[in-house]
């Protein structure tokens, strides 16, 4: 099956559907004795596909569309002759370099695979353009360093195995264990032509697959013998394994980088998640490689699966396993595309995954389909690659909605307070916030125009900062503050600030999107309204700060920019990831004093208005470009410098 590459932000539903259909195919094929799979291990008489050429190697690129055809090619070409041949015992010969063999295996059985001398010494594959640059995913494992294309008495062979199917749980209770892994044996002695559990250990290397994946490379001078062995069937499991094995003289056919987090969570809402890859290059916008990356439509893909679903456990490092067992993909749609949003503004691929269930834990796996433009036999790396899964949980309350792709606040990408009844779609919701922020910026820009920015350095308001710095800092701050980062009211994370408790929860059961999971929210809120609220322990002891309730202070009972959030959007109670205090400090530092910016002091509003960054990877305060578990150490100005800038407090949104 040829998985189609879809363009840019197009819906990737079909990819998922393809994977789903493929899974179905596998099941059908498995249990039908006269299937393509069964044919693979039949005797010498089994026929080639009618249209397969008999006197020269099959033209793999033209025949990739039919999965059955693909796998019928797996063992043609034996000693230069094209016919399917079963060698002595249970030896199956691989169809060549970069031509995988796909086979079922029963518990306890071993299949020996032969990569013959002719395949080893065949011409190397033609060089392909590859990705614009190699990605720095931090993987220090065997990445397939290429020593080739030099005359040598030996050749490096890249061997990889992935599990495509594994036995299923048929116990009476919920599954708690995963099926055991297959083992790859590679003979390293010419006297061992039948590697496996019963062959001498000093004449072979044994590698147990890790979550359905193993790789191994070795220098070879002649025929290579490998074997795949299935363990005994544990109690309460039933079925068989199915795996793909490949040997290549060019590079690994399959890849897995389980120790490399390369996909990050940006944020979720009740029905969707926004994930992003790390920077694909550190090049600058003027560099060719930067432009080449941005020119790609969608070099990667993601698989998303509810954590509770155990089907993929044991195959999380297997691209093949993902395509066959990832069921959730079929019902969720994924939009993907290249972006430069985020820290450093480097090229990344973004994935917007919709149609998820609320309040549910998922994991997402970044993957590459084949070599990113083509999959399957004949393609170097045609078996695909996967990276470390990223875990995330969708929100519950249905009043936070992901927004991104904004015109003015184009670096904003997170969930904001929302109300699906009033603003049912992302564009209408983001427009409310975005035009509000743009309007405020216009006023600011007029004020900035009055400041002598473009004079000589000595006449500037600061030797280190100019008006562009001020404008940048203002925009960063403005967008973060006018578009609060929203979390469920029910979340108990300590850094969150309850907001808008004075408003009734949205009645989203009437909304088209679905009912709010927490119908007892109103009660929760009402209980809390009369409780004592002490957000600032460093407040002056004689102040009212120790004598107020959630219901009595604007910081908790109302919202930032109430004219937009409370009146227009009316999201009901929510919690806010407060903007980072360094955004405010930076604004004060970057702008001329004449503009009168100042930040609230600790004990006098700072704590309820602004949050602090953490270095444990949590997004404990909101800044543009934040992603989970990638926080760079913050460049926060010390609090001492704050005293210098006491001017007009940024009072528009000060709530305490
Ligand atoms: C697996 O091993 C059993 C016992 O040796 C044998 O009967 C069976 O045919 C084997 N299955 C395959 C697919 O080779
Ligand atoms: C393997 O192939 C190479 C190159 O074709 C040839 O020189 C060598 O003799 C062959 N080795 C064996 C054992 O057939
Ligand atoms: C993937 O492999 C195909 C076939 O070898 C090749 O035409 C294509 O250029 C490769 N893609 C990349 C990105 O290298
Ligand atoms: C698993 O199998 C064992 C032995 O057949 C049985 O005693 C046990 O109850 C089973 N466990 C579950 C959870 O089904
Ligand atoms: C089994 O899993 C279901 C969800 O799949 C869950 O609702 C149930 O509580 C689980 N049972 C046990 C005993 O863990
Ligand atoms: C083959 O591999 C085994 C296991 O790593 C090792 O002990 C043995 O020395 C190797 N033999 C040769 C001839 O390299
Ligand atoms: C293969 O041989 C090359 C040099 O011929 C050497 O640099 C490399 O380390 C060897 N690789 C393995 C896996 O033995
Ligand atoms: C080979 O496996 C190791 C360990 O799992 C991994 O770090 C490395 O990236 C793998 N190489 C490829 C090309 O997948
Ligand atoms: C981007 O793609 C266009 C159209 O395919 C092509 O003309 C242009 O040269 C590409 N730019 C780069 C930098 O690759
Ligand atoms: C991208 O690069 C920037 C610096 O250029 C860095 O701050 C950031 O952490 C990197 N990764 C992401 C996902 O933003
Ligand atoms: C982002 O905005 C552009 C135009 O501004 C639009 O073409 C594109 O479809 C939008 N993407 C998403 C995912 O909404
Ligand atoms: C400063 O000068 C530059 C170029 O002369 C101009 O583009 C910019 O708008 C000016 N900025 C202000 C605030 O006047």
């Amino acid at each position: 099956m040829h998985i189609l590459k879809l363009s840019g932000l197009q819906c990737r539903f079909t990819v998922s559907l393809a994977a789903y259909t493929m899974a179905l195919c596998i099941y059908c094929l498995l249990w039908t004795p006269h299937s393509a799979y069964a044919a693979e291990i039949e005797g010498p008489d089994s026929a080639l596909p009618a249209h397969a050429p008999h006197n020269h190697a099959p033209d793999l690129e033209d025949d990739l569309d039919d999965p059955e055809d693909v796998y019928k090619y797996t063992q043609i070409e034996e000693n230069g002759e094209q016919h399917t041949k079963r060698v002595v015992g249970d030896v199956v010969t691989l169809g060549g370099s970069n031509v995988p063999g796909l086979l079922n295996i029963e518990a306890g059985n071993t299949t020996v695979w032969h990569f013959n001398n002719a395949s080893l010494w065949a011409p190397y594959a033609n060089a392909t353009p590859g990705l614009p640059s190699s990605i720095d995913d931090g993987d220090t494992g065997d990445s397939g360093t290429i020593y080739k294309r030099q005359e040598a008495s030996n050749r490096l062979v890249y061997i990889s195995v992935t599990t495509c199917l594994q036995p299923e749980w048929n116990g009476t209770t919920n599954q708690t264990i995963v099926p055991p892994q297959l083992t790859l044996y590679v003979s390293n002695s010419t006297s061992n032509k039948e590697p496996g559990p019963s062959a001498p250990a000093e004449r072979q290397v044994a590698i147990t697959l890790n979550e359905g994946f193993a790789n191994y490379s070795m220098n070879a001078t002649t025929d290579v013998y490998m074997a795949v062995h299935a363990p005994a069937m544990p109690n309460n499991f039933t079925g068989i394994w199915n795996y793909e094995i490949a040997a290549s003289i060019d590079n690994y056919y399959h890849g897995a980088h389980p120790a490399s987090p390369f996909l990050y969570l940006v944020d979720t809402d009740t029905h969707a998640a926004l994930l992003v890859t790390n920077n694909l290059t550190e090049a600058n916008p003027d560099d060719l490689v930067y432009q080449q990356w941005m020119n790609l439509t969608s070099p990667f893909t993601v698989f998303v699966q509810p954590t509770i679903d155990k089907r993929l456990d044991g195959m999380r490092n297997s691209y093949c396993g993902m395509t066959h067992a990832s069921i959730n993909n079929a019902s969720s749609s994924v939009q993907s595309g290249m972006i430069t949003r985020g820290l450093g503004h480097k090229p990344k691929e973004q994935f917007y995954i919709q149609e998820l269930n609320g309040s549910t834990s998922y994991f997402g796996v970044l993957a590459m389909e084949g070599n990113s433009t083509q999959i399957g036999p004949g393609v170097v790396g045609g078996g695909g690659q996967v990276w470390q899964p990223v875990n995330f949980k969708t929100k519950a309350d249905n009043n936070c909605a992901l927004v991104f792709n904004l015109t003015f606040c184009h670096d904003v990408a997170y969930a904001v307070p929302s109300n699906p009844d009033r603003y049912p779609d992302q564009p209408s919701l983001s427009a409310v916030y975005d035009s509000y922020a743009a309007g405020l910026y216009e006023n600011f820009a007029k004020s900035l125009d009055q400041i002598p920015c473009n004079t000589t350095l000595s006449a500037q308001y600061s030797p280190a900062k100019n008006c562009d710095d001020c404008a940048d800092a203002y925009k960063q701050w403005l967008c973060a503050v006018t578009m609060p980062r929203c979390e469920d009211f029910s979340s108990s994370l300590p850094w969150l600030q309850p907001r808008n408790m004075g408003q009734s929860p949205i009645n989203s059961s009437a909304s088209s999107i679905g009912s709010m999971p927490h119908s007892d929210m109103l009660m929760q809120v009402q209980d809390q309204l009369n409780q004592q609220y002490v957000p600032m322990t460093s407040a002056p002891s004689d102040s009212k700060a120790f004598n107020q309730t959630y219901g009595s202070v604007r910081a908790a009972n109302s919202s930032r920019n109430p004219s937009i959030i409370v009146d227009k959007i009316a999201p009901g109670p929510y919690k806010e990831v407060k903007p980072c205090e360094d955004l405010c400090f930076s604004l004060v530092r970057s702008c001329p004093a004449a503009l009168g910016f100042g930040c609230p002091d600790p004990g006098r509003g700072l704590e309820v208005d602004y949050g602090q960054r953490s270095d444990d990877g949590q997004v404990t305060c909101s800044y543009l470009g934040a992603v989970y578990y990638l926080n760079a150490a913050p460049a926060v100005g010390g609090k001492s410098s704050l005293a210098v800038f006491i001017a007009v407090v940024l009072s528009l949104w000060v709530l305490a």
Side-chain angles (χ1 to χ4, degrees):
M1 174 152 324
H2 194 129
I3 296 189
L4 298 166
K5 300 263 14 166
L6 297 171
S7 60
L9 295 154
Q10 207 176 331
C11 173
R12 310 225 23 181
F13 182 76
T14 47
V15 171
S16 322
L17 196 64
Y20 182 66
T21 329
M22 196 151 178
L24 286 180
C25 288
I26 285 259
Y27 281 96
C28 305
L29 293 170
L30 278 179
W31 308 118
T32 333
H34 299 293
S35 68
Y37 288 88
E40 283 186 50
I41 47 169
E42 274 169 17
D45 298 333
S46 54
L48 283 168
H51 58 281
H54 282 241
N55 294 323
H56 54 91
D59 186 350
L60 294 162
E61 297 198 359
D62 287 344
D63 287 295
L64 289 176
D65 288 332
D66 185 338
E68 297 195 18
D69 286 354
V70 164
Y71 296 116
K72 280 176 186 160
Y73 290 143
T74 49
Q75 37 180 327
I76 46 185
E77 186 161 341
E78 170 76 32
N79 302 328
E81 287 194 66
Q82 272 74 46
H83 55 225
T84 306
K85 188 167 178 182
R86 182 174 169 180
V87 195
V88 227
D90 265 317
V91 181
V92 187
T93 300
L94 282 168
S97 178
N98 305 309
V99 181
L102 182 77
L103 211 58
N104 293 341
I105 188 166
E106 290 171 26
N109 287 16
T110 305
T111 307
V112 175
W113 291 88
H114 177 203
F115 184 64
N116 66 26
N117 188 49
S119 301
L120 177 69
W121 293 103
Y124 288 119
N126 294 329
T128 55
L131 295 173
S133 60
S134 62
I135 59 173
D136 180 13
D137 62 2
D139 188 353
T140 50
D142 188 346
S143 58
T145 314
I146 296 173
Y147 304 104
K148 64 182 188 189
R149 305 196 199 280
Q150 73 222 6
E151 292 303 317
S153 58
N154 58 25
R155 273 189 171 182
L156 196 55
V157 183
Y158 303 91
I159 299 162
S160 55
V161 182
T162 60
T163 309
C164 300
L165 266 186
Q166 61 187 6
E168 284 184 0
W169 178 254
N170 73 343
T172 49
T173 58
N174 285 356
Q175 178 175 352
T176 52
I177 51 171
V178 297
Q181 297 284 321
L182 300 170
T183 305
L184 166 70
Y185 292 89
V186 182
S187 163
N188 58 4
S189 156
T190 46
S191 66
N192 179 11
K193 294 187 173 166
E194 289 195 22
S198 49
E202 69 280 6
R203 295 190 196 148
Q204 62 188 15
V205 178
I207 304 161
T208 306
L209 272 64
N210 172 21
E211 286 283 329
F213 174 81
N215 64 15
Y216 184 70
S217 63
M218 66 184 289
N219 286 314
T221 54
T222 180
D223 302 65
V224 178
Y225 291 91
M226 300 153 286
V228 174
H229 170 71
M233 185 69 75
N235 286 337
N236 308 314
F237 281 95
T238 178
I240 56 168
W241 286 262
N242 175 274
Y243 64 90
E244 201 170 59
I245 183 171
S248 168
I249 52 174
D250 303 294
N251 206 340
Y252 287 111
Y253 187 78
H254 309 95
H257 315 280
S260 304
F262 201 64
L263 182 67
Y264 296 96
L265 174 65
V266 178
D267 206 355
T268 63
D269 62 24
T270 319
H271 308 283
L274 192 63
L275 306 177
V276 72
T277 65
N278 205 338
N279 303 322
L280 296 167
T281 174
E282 289 297 331
N284 294 317
D286 293 342
D287 296 334
L288 182 63
V289 59
Y290 181 107
Q291 291 155 17
Q292 286 170 333
W293 273 110
M294 292 311 293
N295 230 4
L296 298 180
T297 48
S298 183
F300 298 93
T301 185
V302 286
F303 294 97
V304 174
Q305 186 90 339
T307 314
I308 200 163
D309 193 322
K310 299 278 177 227
R311 216 170 310 189
L312 264 178
D313 292 11
M315 300 195 297
R316 288 189 181 203
N317 292 338
S318 167
Y319 178 83
C320 187
M322 300 269 161
T323 58
H324 295 160
S326 178
I327 43 98
N328 181 266
N329 242 26
S331 64
S332 66
S333 61
V334 181
Q335 292 177 1
S336 64
M338 298 295 297
I339 57 161
T340 57
R341 192 198 322 112
L343 303 177
H345 296 284
K346 305 298 185 194
K348 305 168 186 67
E349 184 170 354
Q350 165 180 283
F351 302 93
Y352 180 51
I353 301 144
Q354 290 169 281
E355 292 172 38
L356 300 176
N357 294 328
S359 201
T360 305
S361 294
Y362 290 90
F363 65 91
V365 179
L366 181 71
M368 186 185 285
E369 296 167 356
N371 68 0
S372 143
T373 57
Q374 216 172 330
I375 63 164
V379 177
V380 178
Q385 302 187 53
V386 296
W387 281 263
Q388 192 181 77
V390 58
N391 296 308
F392 59 89
K393 190 172 181 195
T394 50
K395 294 186 176 41
D397 292 346
N398 212 12
N399 62 346
C400 297
L402 272 170
V403 294
F404 56 92
N405 207 17
L406 277 55
T407 313
F408 175 71
C409 287
H410 41 73
D411 279 341
V412 163
Y414 48 77
V416 295
S418 73
N419 181 342
D421 291 332
R422 296 195 179 187
Y423 299 96
D425 56 29
Q426 206 191 88
S428 64
L429 179 67
S430 25
V432 178
Y433 285 104
D434 206 32
S435 55
Y436 180 62
L440 291 172
Y441 186 84
E442 231 171 83
N443 295 340
F444 159 83
K446 282 183 196 137
S447 309
L448 190 61
D449 280 347
Q450 317 297 314
I451 310 282
C453 284
N454 274 355
T455 53
T456 56
L457 197 61
S458 59
Q460 260 177 226
Y461 62 88
S462 154
K465 302 286 179 185
N466 60 36
C467 283
D468 290 342
D469 297 318
C470 172
D472 275 358
Y474 183 74
K475 189 171 176 180
Q476 291 263 330
W477 172 85
L478 179 71
C479 290
V481 160
T482 49
M483 306 189 61
R485 187 164 176 141
C486 180
E487 287 283 347
D488 286 331
F489 188 80
S490 50
S491 170
S492 58
L493 294 172
W495 56 84
L496 299 180
Q497 172 70 32
R499 300 277 194 217
N500 210 19
M501 290 173 67
Q503 192 169 54
S504 324
I506 54 171
N507 177 17
S508 65
S509 56
S511 90
S512 56
I513 299 189
S515 70
M516 188 171 64
H518 290 275
S519 50
D520 56 347
M521 183 153 136
L522 185 59
M523 253 166 51
Q524 266 182 33
V525 174
Q526 279 168 347
D527 281 355
Q528 210 183 330
L529 276 174
N530 296 323
Q531 286 170 20
Q532 197 196 12
Y533 175 53
V534 185
M536 298 180 285
T537 47
S538 59
S541 55
D542 58 342
S543 76
K544 284 194 306 190
F546 295 95
N547 207 356
Q548 53 196 8
T549 63
Y550 284 92
S552 72
V553 283
R554 282 183 60 209
N557 73 8
S558 183
S559 182
R560 289 180 190 273
N561 33 322
S563 66
I564 291 292
I565 298 181
V566 180
D567 301 344
K568 277 186 126 169
I569 295 169
Y574 64 95
K575 281 189 180 168
E576 180 188 307
V577 181
K578 291 166 282 186
C580 296
E581 57 183 19
D582 52 283
L583 297 181
C584 188
F585 301 156
S586 157
L587 170 60
V588 170
R589 257 200 322 268
S590 306
C591 287
L595 288 175
F597 290 132
C599 301
D601 274 341
R604 306 225 174 225
L606 185 70
E607 295 90 333
V608 284
D609 277 350
Y610 296 101
Q612 289 177 339
R613 299 200 193 210
S614 94
D615 48 19
D616 67 0
Q618 282 291 347
V619 178
T620 53
C621 67
S622 173
Y623 59 97
L624 307 185
V627 303
Y628 283 88
Y629 298 103
L630 189 90
N631 289 6
V636 182
K639 278 195 189 135
S640 54
S641 63
L642 193 65
V644 182
F645 300 106
I646 301 173
V648 183
V649 160
L650 292 169
S651 60
L652 195 47
W653 298 281
V654 167
L655 302 168

